[in-house]
Amino acid sequence: MSVAQDTAVTKQNQAALRCIIEEGFNKGNYAALDALFAANYKEHQFGLKTTLEGFKEDIQYLRTGFPDLHLTIDDMIASEDTVWVRMTASGTHSGRFMGPPTGRLISLTFMDVYRFKQGQGVSNWCGPVRVA
């Protein structure tokens, strides 16, 4: 792959990940995720469902517990088919999530590693960095 091709692919993958975060997590537009992920998408985060449909259900569960959930991209780097992103999630625990609502504001910093093929997400690994 030439440098120009790598740069174009890298930018395409970063744009796709930004759209996943904005549409899926921040807006709750789960239908938009269908075009952003391959049919055989695999989620590797412990405790989450492994398929795209399961991933959408897990996001919906988060947004039920934290209706004002917002993910902010703190850092993003990419190379060819892989995008690494450090994000901060924040929201108010005002719905059912692992128990009754507490009304507390949460903030969680985490790292995701997404792999893309032909502009669609094919896999993701995630882990928390800091919980406050």
Side-chain angles (χ1 to χ4, degrees):
M1 182 178 293
S2 73
V3 172
Q5 288 171 319
D6 180 36
T7 301
V9 168
T10 297
K11 287 182 179 182
Q12 177 186 24
N13 293 340
Q14 288 176 309
L17 184 52
R18 283 187 182 91
C19 194
I20 289 166
I21 293 162
E22 186 59 30
E23 292 298 323
F25 286 92
N26 292 344
K27 294 181 180 176
N29 181 4
Y30 313 115
L33 299 177
D34 293 334
L36 298 167
F37 287 97
N40 63 343
Y41 170 76
K42 175 82 171 172
E43 175 64 51
H44 297 278
Q45 186 175 347
F46 180 77
L48 294 185
K49 299 172 181 114
T50 60
T51 65
L52 175 55
E53 289 306 312
F55 182 64
K56 290 192 279 187
E57 291 170 8
D58 288 333
I59 296 171
Q60 187 173 18
Y61 179 59
L62 277 172
R63 290 184 53 78
T64 298
F66 303 90
D68 60 345
L69 178 71
H70 186 82
L71 272 59
T72 302
I73 297 172
D74 301 315
D75 290 302
M76 181 185 286
I77 59 172
S79 178
E80 295 183 9
D81 68 347
T82 305
V83 181
W84 295 264
V85 62
R86 182 175 60 88
M87 295 182 277
T88 301
S90 59
T92 308
H93 185 201
S94 56
R96 286 202 62 78
F97 180 84
M98 302 176 83
T102 63
R104 294 175 67 185
L105 181 65
I106 62 101
S107 180
L108 170 69
T109 301
F110 57 97
M111 294 283 302
D112 272 28
V113 180
Y114 278 87
R115 195 168 62 78
F116 289 85
K117 185 174 183 179
Q118 298 175 341
Q120 292 185 309
V122 294
S123 61
N124 177 48
W125 292 263
C126 177
V129 174
R130 180 181 65 85
V131 178

